[in-house]
Amino acid sequence: MSEITFRLNGAEITVPVAGGSALDLIRDGLGLTGAKLVCGTGGCGACAVLVDGNPTETCILPAAALAGREVVTVEGLAGPAGLHPVQRALVAHDAVQCGFCTPGMVVGAAAFVDRWRRERPGERPTTAEVAGAMDGHLCRCGAYPGILSAIAAAAAGEFDGEDPVPGRPDGVAKATGAARFTVDVRLDGMLHGRILRSTEAHAEIVALETGAASAIPGVRAVVEILRPDRTVSYVGEPMAAVAAVDEATAERALRAIAVRYRVLPSAVGASAAMADDAPDLVGRRLMLTSSNEAGAFAVALPRSGNRRGPWSPLSFRRVAARRRIAAARRASDPLLVEGTWFTAAQSHASPEPHTAVADWRPDGLTVYLSTQSVTATAAKLARRFGLDPASVRVVAEHVGGAFGSKQNLTEPVIEAVELSRAAGAPVRISLSSSEELSVTGYRPASEIRLSVLGGADGSLRAVEAVAHMDGGDSVGQTVVNLMRLSYPGRPMALVDYDVLNNAPPAKPFQAPGAPMALFALETAIDELAARLGEDAIALRLGWEPRPLRRAVYEWAGTHPLWRERPSGAGGRGVGVAFGTWYYGYDPATRVRVLSDPSGIVVETGAQEVGTGAAAVLAEAVAEVFGMSPDGVTVRIGDSALGHGPTTSASRTTPSLAPTAREAASRLRDRLVESAVHELGLTGPVLAEGGILHGGELIPWPEILPRLAPLVVEATRPRDTRLPVSPIPVEGVQVGWGLSDSACLVEVTVDPAGVVRATRAAVALAAGRIHTPLQAMGQVHGALARGIGQALLEERVTDTGSGRVVTDAYDTYRILRAGDMPEVEVRFVEEGFDHAPGGGAGIPELAIAAVPAAVANAVAHATGRRLRRLPMTPERVRAAMAL
Ligand code: FES
Ligand code: FES
């Protein structure tokens, strides 16, 4: 081991170095955890620090290369005058969603802004110039519009002012690297865990010999993680886990475990699993992994061969639908649009890998977890391990993206807990980027056969659809059934099947099922409109009595992007598509609001995955007290804080906002009573920002220090209309009413088949929007992931070996800043008066129609219809050549 000396954040330090990367040294050796590890190959910018003033990817830089250098990490960027202008700008523009990419983004942007201001003082860079400078920084949350505008504003000198800047409650912590994610958690005596995974797609584990691994010095525990039937069903399935004093020893121990497989017949991919000679992959297994939020509820369905289904809960007059379509087919009716649509699997690619730090002690279990649900996970862990629920605590201070993949007891939480129990010490397991892109879930691939029949009078006469979903070793998809939500009241025969096979299991992904269903349905309707010679929006408007749906049609139909679209097939096109989502909430949500001399605090067992839950809570309480949200302290991310909603199915805001408002209102009223009893005020009256007494306003910051602390807890108030679902399923109650969206996208297509989304306009009709800036960010993110699904994201599993080929960020591509279109967002804040918060959630609604809109735009630009996503240059070129 040698020593190196360098300057770190202004101070000279000398540290021992024994190989490893500069990132390892900075994070683990020096405890500066702002810089993050995502790709590990220099391609995402998350690990950037300034080395001699240049942004440098430290994951690929040897630690020894820091010798003699001047190093500035995100923690050292702020100076005596406060935050760096870039940090202020990112917070003020709400360009920090989950915040996991933010430290690297801040460092890269600060270098650009400082250089820009030296070389071109007073000038404002264009969006393209900023995007070019930030090309090496990926943001899976898709906060790019905010990021680009913030950086341009900082470069133009608009953020040279003073702190604090207004922003989401955790904005500054994220922009300064202070936010602690699960990957940053370090506990005394903590061991490091790794998981041994199957190398076979389907096998019985005849023997798993762990003796040699256990004997390695430094190994503290080895546990088996096998199903009761001792089989594995996909490459990468966990079989055992090891805890050791460091990662290298744990890796060595994994290699020392001897596995004897009895290889069983396998089929990887839906086609292979549906072949006549496919092996029976279901066998006598009673439970299959669910790929949706409904868990086991969706699993209990008939199966034939490796297909699970038919699943047709939302079909309507299915016999009529089939009869009409069969007759139209016999008559070669030109208004029958039919075909088969395909979409590739889409990886979640969460920037923070699935990570757990488990601490099993005689008096209870604490798990630090990158999760979408501290509350539900704590309850499930208690059940799984037979523990008193009161003794189990799940903590997630900040979560670096999830998008659906971090709910339920997904790996590595079980493995970390088992190891901690066996070792008697805390154990941390953080998946590698290869594991993250292989085994933590994905949006399933789909094949949808669809027939849409129109009438000469412009009516929608029938829809028939059959989906086969390829979610590997999982079932539970509802896809074409969602078509009914878009156009209710028409005869529809809708059938979903899952095709079980030996690829890793899928997981829920933002608006599960909807982007695929709408890609087929909305492009077919576009085609029907063309055959009828009708405007695609006017046609739909003629079908629609629902006010919210009509509102988004009317908005889209009069939008300049639509009105002024080119005539088509000239390399530039505009597409439109519409989405619908249900309104859900968690009726068991509880929120506490506290007052003490220092101010107002709101707390609940929810978590912040980047969607703005903390901002929603602060805003709800601040509105009741007539104060700025900055004056409200938010405590979340801990199951000990009471029942909070899982962040999925767009339930978070409709669960939290009305509950927080209810608790805050009751607390405010009690504070007025206290003012009478404790301060002797007579006839105090509530007023904006405080209490009016004797004609004078006494602001809350003056009153609270004079009153005894109070606590009020509320449960979510009820809707004034009965819910649609009789009981909550996995914590989500489906309420009355549907939300609607319109998505307009403009694309250009060059002769090489490269599609670029240049402009997008989105309208969401979901009732009240509680925090517009954060809601805007959700729309940006939905566009980024939806355009990604439409144009470039394609998870590939080798059907021969069962290995995921796209297990690195250079093979699995996501949208970059320069790929993002200009975005306009409109909220139609009507229609949910029966909901106590006045609105539904929006993340699912925001993404549902995006791929379909892009596909319609490509058809408009090229005159060719592509029915397979993603629309890669090769596929577009091939279509144009027809
Ligand atoms: S560039 Fe270093 S983690 Fe991605
Ligand atoms: S804010 Fe960029 S990855 Fe989440």
Side-chain angles (χ1 to χ4, degrees), residues 95-102 105 138-143 147 351 400-401 403 609-610:
V96 286
Q97 291 192 21
C98 79
F100 204 74
C101 71
T102 307
M105 199 73 79
L138 298 181
C139 176
R140 184 52 159 165
C141 292
I147 289 167
F403 317 111
V609 305

Side-chain angles (χ1 to χ4, degrees), residues 120-208:
R120 301 169 72 171
E123 279 185 53
R124 187 190 190 89
T126 64
T127 301
E129 283 169 327
V130 180
M134 300 306 293
D135 189 52
H137 292 267
L138 298 181
C139 176
R140 184 52 159 165
C141 292
Y144 294 126
I147 289 167
L148 299 182
S149 63
I151 296 171
E158 292 172 17
F159 282 90
D160 292 347
E162 293 184 351
D163 302 327
V165 283
R168 60 168 73 198
D170 51 5
V172 171
K174 287 173 173 171
T176 57
R180 191 169 78 145
F181 294 81
T182 304
V183 291
D184 303 326
V185 171
R186 303 285 184 272
L187 302 182
D188 287 344
M190 188 177 82
L191 303 171
H192 298 267
R194 298 295 295 155
I195 296 173
L196 181 71
R197 299 180 180 283
S198 167
T199 56
E200 297 294 338
H202 195 198
E204 180 188 340
I205 306 305
V206 178
L208 195 66

Side-chain angles (χ1 to χ4, degrees), residues 621-780:
V621 173
E623 185 184 86
V624 169
F625 279 88
M627 59 201 286
S628 160
D630 297 340
V632 179
T633 301
V634 180
R635 291 189 199 134
I636 54 174
D638 189 335
S639 60
L641 294 172
H643 184 108
T646 298
T647 306
S648 80
S650 293
R651 83 186 84 164
T652 309
T653 299
S655 302
L656 292 180
T659 318
R661 196 166 290 127
E662 171 73 15
S665 302
R666 286 176 16 210
L667 176 69
R668 183 197 56 189
D669 294 347
R670 285 187 54 195
L671 284 169
V672 176
E673 287 168 21
S674 297
V676 174
H677 299 129
E678 294 179 29
L679 304 180
L681 302 188
T682 48
V685 179
L686 264 179
E688 186 78 3
I691 293 178
L692 203 57
H693 180 251
E696 262 185 44
L697 178 75
I698 317 174
W700 292 114
E702 272 181 38
I703 302 167
L704 295 177
R706 297 158 62 193
L707 298 177
L710 287 174
V711 182
V712 169
E713 184 173 85
T715 304
R716 188 191 185 273
R718 290 187 179 186
D719 290 25
T720 55
R721 295 190 76 142
L722 287 175
V724 173
S725 63
I727 51 163
V729 176
E730 287 281 322
V732 64
Q733 180 106 46
V734 179
W736 190 89
L738 295 171
S739 54
D740 289 288
S741 69
C743 180
L744 285 157
V745 176
E746 177 193 69
V747 301
T748 59
V749 184
D750 73 14
V754 176
V755 180
R756 287 186 55 79
T758 47
R759 286 191 287 170
V762 176
L764 301 181
R768 178 173 173 190
I769 298 295
H770 295 269
T771 52
L773 208 51
Q774 283 72 41
M776 205 85 80
Q778 289 307 293
V779 178
H780 296 160

Side-chain angles (χ1 to χ4, degrees), residues 34-344:
K36 298 290 189 274
L37 176 66
V38 178
C39 69
T41 53
C44 75
C47 61
V49 306
L50 295 177
V51 177
D52 293 341
N54 299 313
T56 303
E57 282 79 24
T58 51
C59 66
I60 50 170
L61 184 74
L66 295 181
R69 306 296 194 90
E70 178 82 41
V71 176
V72 178
T73 68
V74 67
E75 291 91 344
L77 262 186
L83 299 179
H84 188 284
V86 157
Q87 292 171 312
R88 282 192 204 111
L90 287 168
V91 173
H93 283 241
D94 200 50
V96 286
Q97 291 192 21
C98 79
F100 204 74
C101 71
T102 307
M105 199 73 79
V106 165
V107 166
F112 167 73
V113 164
D114 291 346
R115 192 178 65 248
W116 179 273
R117 298 185 72 179
R118 274 195 310 275
E119 295 171 0
R120 301 169 72 171
E123 279 185 53
R124 187 190 190 89
T126 64
T127 301
E129 283 169 327
V130 180
M134 300 306 293
D135 189 52
H137 292 267
L138 298 181
C139 176
R140 184 52 159 165
C141 292
Y144 294 126
I147 289 167
L148 299 182
S149 63
I151 296 171
E158 292 172 17
F159 282 90
D160 292 347
E162 293 184 351
D163 302 327
V165 283
R168 60 168 73 198
D170 51 5
V172 171
K174 287 173 173 171
T176 57
R180 191 169 78 145
F181 294 81
T182 304
V183 291
D184 303 326
V185 171
R186 303 285 184 272
L187 302 182
D188 287 344
M190 188 177 82
L191 303 171
H192 298 267
R194 298 295 295 155
I195 296 173
L196 181 71
R197 299 180 180 283
S198 167
T199 56
E200 297 294 338
H202 195 198
E204 180 188 340
I205 306 305
V206 178
L208 195 66
E209 286 153 18
T210 58
S214 301
I216 293 174
V219 172
R220 295 291 152 75
V222 182
V223 294
E224 261 190 30
I225 310 282
L226 282 173
R227 300 176 185 181
D229 65 1
R230 299 183 70 80
T231 62
V232 287
S233 295
Y234 59 92
V235 170
E237 183 164 347
M239 300 186 296
V242 169
V245 291
D246 55 41
E247 299 245 3
T249 307
E251 278 293 342
R252 211 143 51 84
L254 283 192
R255 289 195 293 275
I257 298 175
V259 184
R260 265 199 302 133
Y261 299 93
R262 185 172 73 84
V263 175
L264 301 170
S266 65
V268 178
S271 306
M274 295 220 301
D276 290 341
D277 59 351
D280 176 8
L281 302 176
V282 180
R284 285 176 292 128
R285 279 164 61 187
L286 294 177
M287 285 303 295
L288 303 171
T289 307
S290 172
S291 61
N292 77 8
E293 293 94 336
F297 178 75
V299 171
L301 275 178
R303 303 166 196 151
S304 68
N306 296 320
R307 288 198 313 180
R308 167 261 193 198
W311 173 235
S312 310
L314 297 181
S315 285
F316 176 70
R317 296 179 58 203
R318 76 187 74 184
V319 175
R322 289 188 176 126
R323 205 178 47 229
R324 286 182 188 185
I325 283 169
R329 197 176 291 135
R330 281 195 302 276
S332 300
D333 188 333
L335 298 183
L336 177 65
V337 180
E338 53 183 356
T340 306
W341 280 254
F342 301 90
T343 65

